[in-house]
């Protein structure tokens, strides 16, 4: 008892700690927080000393603890992370990474006044969508274009504007769920259209649509199955056939393309996906896709199609509720501009660059990361290199395996699960893949400069594990 009182007296007073130069400096930013954390840290030590009789720490150690709390408190909740999973469009990691031009455009729109809704020629009110609709028409061949918050909104709004109170015909094989909460039947119900399912899960024929169509049919809907494929005995009606039927019935054909490629990557081994312009050329009356999937832009839902249909959608009251902000429009415009030269787009749009990265280049990058890591971690882990397959992700190209290279890490004296957990806590956090007792770092999704950061993070994570004095 007496002894713990003596120990407690060795702890400095709050004022004494606050006079430390480092805390003085932090106090200039936010004195209230520094005072609060100083009190908290001292209180914590008083408790510990009373209950266990440990020696109190010195002033420097206390100051470091206060600073750590202060910095943790000021760290953004939304922070940059290193994506070493190889999943290019990782929904949990924010999908597409913007090109430099797109990011700079968004920054400009955020930091300055813009002509968002002003026609600079006439001085009169302008339309915010004009900044991208011309480019979208030029790139895709569509008559008209509109942009909303995301593709879910694009589908919902289009159905609400064109088919509420009437029927929409869709194949049973296309009643998909995407990303856990976007379910075509539920979106259709919410929009007010009546769902008319035709065909079966694996086979739907043109005659199924024909038999179901009637005077109340407002739309023929085709949905890209995105994240899954039915294999074996299957049949779906082609876009051309559906368009042909739509013309005969005088019913518009709408397609939810999901990802929406603007460049054909067949020559890079990524085939089987129709491009947006190909679908428009086939005569689809209305088409929607995401801005932040294979297009590699900001989150947005792009609606393309015949002028009179897009006009009806643009006038619907929901359009205002689902509209996009100036930063999104700026980033989307810059992303689209890159597509005027497809070869440039493949270099500059990070999503495309990651998808088409050549195995020999990935191998070189893996070798480099291997050397950095081997040097940094020493004997604390076994570092290797091997071939692996990465994925597009984001519900895109589910069957395509992209040949890639990875660095493997087998830590000493700790499970890979624990190491992966530690890596989520480093600064910046690192997201990895696990394969049995091996930690996999797929270099496909590493951005320039991240290899060095990753090596530092790995040391931080291994230190945390191997240092028994570190509190958990
Ligand atoms: C991804 C996807 C959606 C949803 O798009 P978001 O931009 O995520 O809202 C809708 N339909 C299909 C076919 C998709 O692949």
């Amino acid at each position: 008892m007496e002894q713990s009182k003596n120990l407690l007296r060795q702890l400095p007073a709050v004022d004494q700690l606050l006079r430390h130069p480092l805390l003085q400096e932090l106090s200039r930013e936010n004195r209230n927080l520094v005072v609060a954390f100083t009190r908290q840290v001292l209180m914590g030590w008083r408790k510990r000393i009373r209950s266990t009789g440990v020696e109190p720490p010195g002033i420097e150690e206390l100051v470091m603890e206060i600073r750590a709390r202060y910095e943790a408190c000021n760290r953004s909740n939304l922070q940059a992370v290193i994506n070493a999973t190889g999943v290019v469009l990782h929904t949990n990691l924010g999908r597409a990474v913007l090109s430099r031009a797109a990011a700079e455009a968004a920054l400009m729109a955020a930091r300055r006044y813009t002509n968002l809704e002003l026609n600079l020629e006439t001085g009169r009110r302008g339309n915010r969508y004009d900044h991208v609709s011309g480019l979208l028409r030029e790139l895709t061949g569509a008559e008209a274009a509109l942009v909303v918050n995301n593709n879910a909104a694009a589908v919902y709004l289009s159905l609400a504007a064109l088919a509420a109170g009437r029927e929409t015909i869709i194949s049973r094989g296309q009643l998909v769920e995407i990303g856990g909460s976007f379910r075509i039947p539920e979106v259709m119900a919410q929009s007010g259209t009546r769902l008319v399912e035709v065909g079966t899960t694996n086979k739907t024929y043109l005659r199924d649509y024909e038999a179901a169509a009637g005077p109340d049919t407002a739309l023929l809907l085709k949905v890209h199955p995105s994240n899954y494929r039915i294999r074996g005995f299957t049949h779906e009606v082609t876009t051309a056939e559906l368009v042909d039927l739509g013309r005969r019935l005088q019913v518009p054909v709408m397609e939810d393309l999901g990802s929406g490629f603007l460049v054909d990557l067949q020559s890079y081994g990524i085939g089987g996906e129709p491009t947006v312009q190909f679908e428009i050329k086939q005569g689809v009356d209305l088409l929607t896709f995401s801005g932040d999937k294979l297009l590699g832009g900001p989150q947005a839902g792009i609606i393309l199609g015949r002028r009179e249909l897009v006009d009806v959608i643009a006038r619907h009251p929901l359009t205002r509720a689902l509209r996009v902000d100036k930063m999104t429009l700026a980033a989307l415009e810059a992303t689209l501009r890159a597509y005027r030269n497809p070869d440039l787009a493949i270099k500059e749009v990070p999503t495309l660059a990651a998808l088409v990265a050549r195995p020999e280049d990935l191998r070189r990058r893996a070798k480099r990361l291997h050397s950095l890591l081997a040097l940094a971690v020493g004997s604390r882990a076994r570092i290797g290199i091997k071939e692996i397959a990465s994925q597009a992700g984001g519900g895109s190209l589910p069957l395509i395996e992209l040949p890639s290279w990875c660095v493997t890490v087998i830590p000493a004296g700790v499970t890979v699960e624990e190491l992966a957990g530690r890596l989520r806590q480093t600064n910046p956090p690192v997201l990895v893949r696990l394969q049995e007792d091996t930690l996999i770092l797929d270099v496909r999704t590493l951005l320039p400069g991240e290899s060095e950061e990753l090596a530092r993070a790995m040391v931080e994570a291994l230190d945390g594990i191997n240092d028994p004095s570190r509190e958990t």
Side-chain angles (χ1 to χ4, degrees), residues 95 150-153 155 176 178 182 184 223-226 256-259 290-293 299-300 394-395:
R95 284 199 194 155
N150 56 15
N151 188 34
V155 174
V176 297
I178 287 140
F182 181 84
I184 288 288
V223 176
H224 192 294
S226 289
D256 172 13
L257 196 55
S259 278
S290 285
D292 59 343
K293 287 188 184 169
Q299 178 190 304

Short mmCIF file of all heavy atoms in Angstrom, two decimals, residues 95 150-153 155 176 178 182 184 223-226 256-259 290-293 299-300 394-395, ligand 1:
data_model
loop_
_atom_site.label_atom_id
_atom_site.label_comp_id
_atom_site.label_asym_id
_atom_site.label_seq_id
_atom_site.Cartn_x
_atom_site.Cartn_y
_atom_site.Cartn_z
N ARG A 95 -13.54 -0.23 -55.27
CA ARG A 95 -13.57 -0.47 -56.72
C ARG A 95 -12.48 0.30 -57.47
O ARG A 95 -11.33 0.23 -57.10
CB ARG A 95 -14.95 -0.13 -57.29
CG ARG A 95 -15.98 -1.20 -56.98
CD ARG A 95 -17.15 -1.03 -57.95
NE ARG A 95 -18.31 -1.79 -57.53
CZ ARG A 95 -19.55 -1.46 -57.87
NH1 ARG A 95 -19.78 -0.41 -58.62
NH2 ARG A 95 -20.54 -2.21 -57.46
N ASN A 150 -25.33 5.84 -59.39
CA ASN A 150 -24.64 4.56 -59.67
C ASN A 150 -25.52 3.75 -60.61
O ASN A 150 -26.61 4.19 -60.99
CB ASN A 150 -24.30 3.77 -58.39
CG ASN A 150 -25.51 3.51 -57.53
OD1 ASN A 150 -26.64 3.66 -57.97
ND2 ASN A 150 -25.29 3.10 -56.30
N ASN A 151 -25.05 2.57 -60.99
CA ASN A 151 -25.83 1.80 -61.96
C ASN A 151 -27.13 1.27 -61.36
O ASN A 151 -28.13 1.13 -62.07
CB ASN A 151 -24.97 0.66 -62.52
CG ASN A 151 -25.65 -0.05 -63.67
OD1 ASN A 151 -26.37 0.59 -64.45
ND2 ASN A 151 -25.47 -1.34 -63.78
N ALA A 152 -27.12 0.99 -60.07
CA ALA A 152 -28.37 0.56 -59.42
C ALA A 152 -29.42 1.66 -59.60
O ALA A 152 -30.58 1.38 -59.94
CB ALA A 152 -28.12 0.28 -57.94
N ALA A 153 -29.01 2.90 -59.40
CA ALA A 153 -29.91 4.03 -59.58
C ALA A 153 -30.34 4.16 -61.04
O ALA A 153 -31.50 4.48 -61.34
CB ALA A 153 -29.24 5.32 -59.11
N VAL A 155 -30.69 1.79 -63.27
CA VAL A 155 -31.68 0.76 -63.60
C VAL A 155 -33.03 1.12 -62.98
O VAL A 155 -34.08 1.09 -63.64
CB VAL A 155 -31.20 -0.63 -63.10
CG1 VAL A 155 -32.28 -1.68 -63.30
CG2 VAL A 155 -29.91 -1.04 -63.81
N VAL A 176 -30.82 -11.74 -61.44
CA VAL A 176 -29.61 -11.93 -60.64
C VAL A 176 -29.56 -11.03 -59.41
O VAL A 176 -30.28 -10.05 -59.30
CB VAL A 176 -28.35 -11.67 -61.51
CG1 VAL A 176 -28.27 -12.67 -62.64
CG2 VAL A 176 -28.36 -10.25 -62.05
N ILE A 178 -26.62 -8.85 -57.37
CA ILE A 178 -25.27 -8.35 -57.53
C ILE A 178 -24.84 -7.63 -56.26
O ILE A 178 -25.56 -6.77 -55.76
CB ILE A 178 -25.17 -7.41 -58.75
CG1 ILE A 178 -25.25 -8.26 -60.03
CG2 ILE A 178 -23.87 -6.64 -58.76
CD1 ILE A 178 -26.06 -7.65 -61.11
N PHE A 182 -28.24 -5.68 -54.46
CA PHE A 182 -28.92 -5.26 -55.68
C PHE A 182 -29.51 -6.52 -56.32
O PHE A 182 -28.80 -7.33 -56.90
CB PHE A 182 -27.93 -4.59 -56.64
CG PHE A 182 -28.56 -4.12 -57.92
CD1 PHE A 182 -29.20 -2.90 -58.00
CD2 PHE A 182 -28.52 -4.92 -59.07
CE1 PHE A 182 -29.78 -2.48 -59.19
CE2 PHE A 182 -29.10 -4.50 -60.26
CZ PHE A 182 -29.74 -3.28 -60.31
N ILE A 184 -32.30 -7.86 -58.97
CA ILE A 184 -33.13 -7.39 -60.07
C ILE A 184 -34.63 -7.46 -59.76
O ILE A 184 -35.35 -6.46 -59.94
CB ILE A 184 -32.76 -8.13 -61.38
CG1 ILE A 184 -31.39 -7.66 -61.88
CG2 ILE A 184 -33.82 -7.95 -62.46
CD1 ILE A 184 -31.36 -6.25 -62.46
N VAL A 223 -30.49 -8.36 -68.74
CA VAL A 223 -29.54 -8.04 -67.66
C VAL A 223 -28.30 -8.90 -67.81
O VAL A 223 -28.39 -10.11 -67.95
CB VAL A 223 -30.19 -8.26 -66.27
CG1 VAL A 223 -29.16 -8.02 -65.17
CG2 VAL A 223 -31.38 -7.32 -66.09
N HIS A 224 -27.16 -8.24 -67.78
CA HIS A 224 -25.89 -8.97 -67.85
C HIS A 224 -25.73 -9.76 -66.56
O HIS A 224 -25.83 -9.20 -65.48
CB HIS A 224 -24.77 -7.94 -68.00
CG HIS A 224 -23.45 -8.54 -68.36
ND1 HIS A 224 -22.77 -9.38 -67.51
CD2 HIS A 224 -22.70 -8.44 -69.48
CE1 HIS A 224 -21.65 -9.76 -68.12
NE2 HIS A 224 -21.58 -9.21 -69.31
N PRO A 225 -25.46 -11.06 -66.65
CA PRO A 225 -25.37 -11.85 -65.41
C PRO A 225 -24.14 -11.51 -64.57
O PRO A 225 -24.01 -12.01 -63.45
CB PRO A 225 -25.32 -13.30 -65.91
CG PRO A 225 -24.85 -13.22 -67.32
CD PRO A 225 -25.30 -11.89 -67.86
N SER A 226 -23.28 -10.62 -65.04
CA SER A 226 -22.15 -10.09 -64.26
C SER A 226 -21.34 -11.13 -63.52
O SER A 226 -20.35 -11.64 -64.01
CB SER A 226 -22.61 -9.02 -63.28
OG SER A 226 -22.97 -7.87 -63.99
N ASP A 256 -29.21 -3.83 -69.03
CA ASP A 256 -28.35 -3.46 -67.91
C ASP A 256 -27.05 -4.22 -68.14
O ASP A 256 -26.96 -5.41 -67.88
CB ASP A 256 -29.01 -3.86 -66.58
CG ASP A 256 -28.05 -3.69 -65.41
OD1 ASP A 256 -27.00 -3.04 -65.60
OD2 ASP A 256 -28.37 -4.20 -64.32
N LEU A 257 -26.05 -3.50 -68.64
CA LEU A 257 -24.80 -4.14 -69.03
C LEU A 257 -23.87 -4.36 -67.83
O LEU A 257 -22.87 -5.08 -67.94
CB LEU A 257 -24.11 -3.28 -70.11
CG LEU A 257 -23.00 -3.91 -70.94
CD1 LEU A 257 -23.46 -5.19 -71.62
CD2 LEU A 257 -22.50 -2.92 -71.99
N GLY A 258 -24.16 -3.74 -66.71
CA GLY A 258 -23.34 -3.94 -65.50
C GLY A 258 -22.01 -3.22 -65.58
O GLY A 258 -21.91 -2.06 -65.20
N SER A 259 -21.00 -3.91 -66.13
CA SER A 259 -19.65 -3.35 -66.11
C SER A 259 -19.40 -2.30 -67.19
O SER A 259 -18.95 -1.21 -66.91
CB SER A 259 -18.64 -4.46 -66.24
OG SER A 259 -18.44 -5.04 -64.99
N SER A 290 -22.05 0.82 -65.02
CA SER A 290 -21.39 1.51 -63.90
C SER A 290 -20.23 2.37 -64.36
O SER A 290 -19.50 1.99 -65.27
CB SER A 290 -20.83 0.49 -62.90
OG SER A 290 -21.83 -0.08 -62.14
N GLY A 291 -20.00 3.48 -63.66
CA GLY A 291 -18.83 4.31 -63.94
C GLY A 291 -17.57 3.76 -63.30
O GLY A 291 -16.46 3.99 -63.78
N ASP A 292 -17.71 3.01 -62.21
CA ASP A 292 -16.52 2.60 -61.45
C ASP A 292 -16.24 1.10 -61.52
O ASP A 292 -15.61 0.54 -60.64
CB ASP A 292 -16.61 3.06 -59.99
CG ASP A 292 -17.83 2.51 -59.27
OD1 ASP A 292 -18.77 2.03 -59.95
OD2 ASP A 292 -17.85 2.55 -58.03
N LYS A 293 -16.74 0.46 -62.57
CA LYS A 293 -16.32 -0.93 -62.79
C LYS A 293 -15.27 -0.92 -63.90
O LYS A 293 -14.28 -0.23 -63.78
CB LYS A 293 -17.53 -1.81 -63.11
CG LYS A 293 -18.40 -2.07 -61.87
CD LYS A 293 -19.47 -3.10 -62.17
CE LYS A 293 -20.39 -3.28 -60.98
NZ LYS A 293 -21.58 -4.08 -61.36
N GLN A 299 -17.66 6.50 -59.11
CA GLN A 299 -18.95 5.85 -58.95
C GLN A 299 -20.00 6.66 -59.69
O GLN A 299 -20.16 7.86 -59.47
CB GLN A 299 -19.33 5.78 -57.47
CG GLN A 299 -20.71 5.14 -57.28
CD GLN A 299 -21.21 5.28 -55.86
OE1 GLN A 299 -20.54 4.87 -54.92
NE2 GLN A 299 -22.38 5.87 -55.70
N ALA A 300 -20.70 6.01 -60.60
CA ALA A 300 -21.74 6.68 -61.36
C ALA A 300 -22.54 5.62 -62.11
O ALA A 300 -22.07 4.49 -62.28
CB ALA A 300 -21.13 7.66 -62.38
N GLY A 394 -15.44 -7.05 -58.60
CA GLY A 394 -16.54 -6.12 -58.78
C GLY A 394 -17.67 -6.71 -59.60
O GLY A 394 -18.42 -6.01 -60.26
N GLY A 395 -17.80 -8.04 -59.55
CA GLY A 395 -18.86 -8.69 -60.31
C GLY A 395 -18.60 -8.65 -61.81
O GLY A 395 -19.51 -8.80 -62.61
C1 LIG B 1 -22.76 -3.93 -60.71
C2 LIG B 1 -24.06 -4.08 -61.36
C3 LIG B 1 -25.15 -3.28 -60.97
C4 LIG B 1 -25.02 -2.28 -59.88
O1 LIG B 1 -24.17 -1.25 -60.27
P1 LIG B 1 -23.62 -0.20 -59.19
O2 LIG B 1 -22.86 0.78 -59.99
O3 LIG B 1 -22.82 -0.98 -58.22
O4 LIG B 1 -24.81 0.41 -58.54
C5 LIG B 1 -26.33 -3.45 -61.63
N1 LIG B 1 -26.47 -4.36 -62.60
C6 LIG B 1 -25.45 -5.15 -63.01
C7 LIG B 1 -25.69 -6.15 -64.10
C8 LIG B 1 -24.21 -5.03 -62.40
O5 LIG B 1 -23.20 -5.81 -62.79
#
